[in-house]
Amino acid sequence: MPRHPFHDVAIVGAYHTRQAKVLEGVRELDVVLDAVRGALASANLRPADVDGVNVRSSVWRLNPREAAAWFGGRPLWTGVSLGIEGVIEAALAIATGQCETVVMADAQAGEYTDRESTSPWTRPTNEFVASWGLYTAAEFALIARRHMHLYGTRPESLAEVAATIRNHGARHPDAVFHGRHVTPHDVLASRMVADPYHLLDCAINSEGGAGLVLTTAERAADLGVAPIYLLGGAIERQGMAYVTAPVWDRYGWSGRRAAQRAFAQCGLRPADVDVCEFYDPFSFELIRQLEAFGFCKEGEGGDFVMGGRIEIDGECPLVTNGGLLSFSHPGTAQLLQKVTSSVLQLRGAYPTQLTVPGATVAMTSNGGAGALFCDVMLLGKERA
Amino acid sequence: MSERTGIPLPRPTELSRPHWDGCRDGALRFQRCRDCGAAVFIPQPVCTGCFGSALEWETSSGRGTVYSYTVVHRPQRPVFAVPYVVVIAELEEGWHMLSNLVDCDPDDVAVGMPIEVTFRKMSDEITLPYFRPAH
């Protein structure tokens, strides 16, 4: 197989700042600075080593060109995209020689203050959506409900997913919901938000940041850290989120083509994935992604997640740090957090009780059918 | 519909004005492609079936079924009285739109149930297309 340009790129730094429901008395700019410094430190690199920047924040609206000035006015490549899309953008810049070492960071603090309403970024203003009282949970509920109708998927399966992921977070000392174990029964008994989603089926709201450092595979070998290699990645967009009806027949398999492309880039298949750090805004979305990405057949995701299969010691460990349901869900940093989480798991940087023994390949994702996009990435301890 | 006063109302655009003008006149309008026959909604500058420009406005029967739904118990903002039912309506002409189901007990909603459009005037400019069970 011809060498894919991604395979010349490695992730050498990954870092999560402190996460909290509210980061009291903390400036967002200090959170993003912490993310930059922490990611560079975990790569054994200094700011002077950086020649590419994608550093941003949610509330202050720090943009990467502003952040470039922090590095002393040297000419720098800057990226513009978020999360997995931003990692792909940075990897392509490195692979095509536009820069050698990119630091990415994103953070959010001080935004969600109106507790009477859902978070501001979940409320669509589009003319065909705004009058119906929709928000993210309702959009994703419309996708879940159709799947339940077509395939008989049960609320118990959704609750199993939510409880399993939340219990991973409960065992992670850095998770916002550390110590908060729940049973599937607790999920089903929690108050209804947007049927079929109960409160505990839904992502939490919290604050914090994440940072990542990418460089050439060649340079990565000299840093004295364990590089995590980019094996594959693809983005998939089907229109703007939250402007049109999330119709299952049209958007239900969002991410399937991206997954197929990412697997083809490295010759792997779902059975080769040791850990699934999938995007987890709502419980059903994990069932959908397992089907769309080919881990199980269409309509069988509800049964697939039962019986311990998605736990740390199961055959398909899912969202091993508690993800958006328990670890943290800050602004747009949560998109990047999916990649940092995968890297930290493969590096063996997780607490022992959450480390997947012998894991060498991780798959991660951003987005879901309710938002009309689904991007994926494959990462590995061994170079492809 | 006093419980709906104060909800956000659409701001029609050059592209969407025929749809909203139709609602004001009691007609539920969508776009139809003269070339490939595709029904298109939300309004687009180009046919999403064939990328052609032969789109024209057509009036729907306003009848269809519930394609999917969610009963919302936690409002987006307090101005939306709970519980309320969000539906994806599948219209007879083969297109879909988001709306609310009204005049229906939330416990009685089901995928596939027959529904029909019902218009509620919100302002001089804006009339919203809701759906209700069809009899």
Side-chain angles (χ1 to χ4, degrees):
Chain A
M1 189 167 63
R3 188 158 196 85
H4 192 282
F6 283 159
H7 303 161
D8 294 326
V9 179
I11 298 175
V12 291
Y15 177 74
H16 290 145
T17 71
R18 187 165 71 85
Q19 314 286 323
K21 196 84 180 133
V22 177
L23 289 168
E24 296 285 359
V26 174
R27 292 189 310 173
E28 187 183 79
L29 287 174
D30 292 323
V31 182
V32 78
L33 273 171
D34 181 32
V36 170
R37 289 185 175 125
L40 286 171
S42 81
N44 282 341
L45 287 168
R46 298 165 301 133
D49 297 316
V50 168
D51 63 357
V53 169
N54 184 347
V55 173
R56 57 178 59 250
S57 77
S58 290
V59 185
W60 187 275
R61 298 194 183 280
L62 174 74
N63 74 62
R65 277 186 70 177
E66 283 179 277
W70 297 354
F71 294 82
R74 286 176 291 118
L76 300 171
W77 173 88
T78 53
V80 296
S81 300
L82 304 169
I84 285 174
E85 187 182 23
V87 176
I88 288 174
E89 179 186 48
L92 294 176
I94 292 167
T96 56
Q98 300 178 61
C99 56
E100 185 180 39
T101 301
V102 177
V103 62
M104 296 181 66
D106 196 349
Q108 187 258 7
E111 183 159 15
Y112 181 38
T113 53
D114 174 11
R115 303 284 159 176
E116 293 296 304
S117 303
T118 60
S119 353
W121 60 87
T122 70
R123 304 198 297 258
T125 55
N126 175 269
E127 59 183 316
F128 296 103
V129 180
S131 299
W132 313 126
L134 279 149
Y135 55 101
T136 313
E139 298 268 0
F140 278 78
L142 291 167
I143 283 286
R145 172 61 60 192
R146 184 69 187 179
H147 190 275
M148 294 166 87
H149 171 75
L150 288 173
Y151 300 111
T153 310
R154 295 171 304 126
E156 288 77 9
S157 291
L158 278 60
E160 181 81 10
V161 170
T164 303
I165 294 173
R166 282 175 174 272
N167 288 335
H168 294 163
R171 292 150 68 194
H172 195 307
D174 298 336
V176 173
F177 276 23
H178 175 235
R180 292 168 70 167
H181 294 267
V182 300
T183 66
H185 175 78
D186 294 332
V187 177
L188 294 170
S190 62
R191 68 182 165 83
M192 194 65 92
V193 171
D195 181 19
Y197 289 138
H198 301 78
L199 181 66
L200 297 181
D201 286 301
C202 304
I204 62 171
N205 266 307
S206 56
E207 302 183 337
L212 198 70
V213 182
L214 299 90
T215 191
T216 60
E218 191 178 2
R219 185 161 195 208
D222 299 329
L223 296 178
V225 300
I228 300 301
Y229 296 98
L230 183 48
L231 305 180
I235 69 168
E236 186 170 323
R237 306 290 157 101
Q238 291 170 283
M240 290 298 291
Y242 316 132
V243 303
T244 193
V247 175
W248 175 270
D249 293 16
R250 193 172 298 170
Y251 309 115
W253 303 116
S254 184
R256 172 176 283 173
R257 283 167 297 177
Q260 287 170 346
R261 285 181 181 177
F263 280 123
Q265 287 161 6
C266 53
L268 296 181
R269 54 202 178 88
D272 299 315
V273 175
D274 300 309
V275 58
C276 299
E277 299 291 348
F278 295 171
Y279 197 67
D280 58 331
F282 304 99
S283 55
F284 170 74
E285 183 56 29
L286 286 305
I287 292 171
R288 193 199 69 79
Q289 289 179 36
L290 287 164
E291 295 180 14
F293 299 162
F295 287 76
C296 61
K297 291 181 180 162
E298 293 179 9
E300 294 183 359
D303 291 335
F304 183 84
V305 297
M306 304 301 284
R309 185 179 265 134
I310 58 174
E311 292 178 11
I312 299 294
D313 58 356
E315 72 179 75
C316 190
L318 193 60
V319 194
T320 57
N321 71 344
L324 312 181
L325 287 157
S326 175
F327 180 77
S328 193
H329 184 208
T332 52
Q334 43 100 6
L335 296 165
L336 185 60
Q337 179 184 295
K338 283 291 157 192
V339 182
T340 49
S341 297
S342 306
V343 171
L344 291 169
Q345 171 64 262
L346 290 180
R347 271 188 162 192
Y350 273 7
T352 311
Q353 66 272 20
L354 296 177
T355 298
V356 176
T360 60
V361 175
M363 183 173 186
T364 189
S365 56
N366 280 173
L372 275 60
F373 84 102
C374 192
D375 306 340
V376 306
M377 180 161 277
L378 288 161
L379 298 161
K381 287 175 83 163
E382 308 292 332
R383 202 171 166 185
Chain B
M1 298 304 296
S2 58
E3 73 272 25
R4 288 197 173 79
T5 54
I7 65 169
L9 294 180
R11 289 186 294 274
T13 64
E14 188 180 358
L15 196 56
S16 67
R17 189 165 296 283
H19 169 77
W20 294 115
D21 285 351
C23 288
R24 195 186 52 206
D25 299 338
L28 187 66
R29 291 188 191 143
F30 64 102
Q31 291 170 299
R32 177 79 79 183
C33 178
R34 277 201 311 273
D35 290 340
C36 77
V40 175
F41 193 83
I42 58 178
Q44 299 288 358
V46 66
C47 174
T48 54
C50 70
F51 212 74
S53 290
L55 290 171
E56 56 190 22
W57 289 94
E58 184 173 317
T59 297
S60 167
S61 70
R63 286 190 300 271
T65 57
V66 172
Y67 177 86
S68 191
Y69 71 92
T70 176
V71 182
V72 179
H73 295 266
R74 194 273 200 249
Q76 183 220 61
R77 290 192 295 162
V79 70
F80 289 96
V82 290
Y84 56 93
V85 183
V86 175
V87 292
I88 298 176
E90 181 171 65
L91 281 303
E92 283 182 335
E93 301 86 5
W95 58 286
H96 299 85
M97 71 175 289
L98 287 164
S99 184
N100 289 158
L101 188 66
V102 296
D103 303 334
C104 179
D105 187 325
D107 291 339
D108 295 338
V109 190
V111 172
M113 76 183 269
I115 52 176
E116 63 188 13
V117 72
T118 175
F119 293 101
R120 305 279 164 95
K121 183 176 178 179
M122 306 302 289
S123 70
D124 286 344
E125 184 185 24
I126 296 298
T127 293
L128 290 175
Y130 289 89
F131 283 81
R132 67 186 175 201
H135 302 294

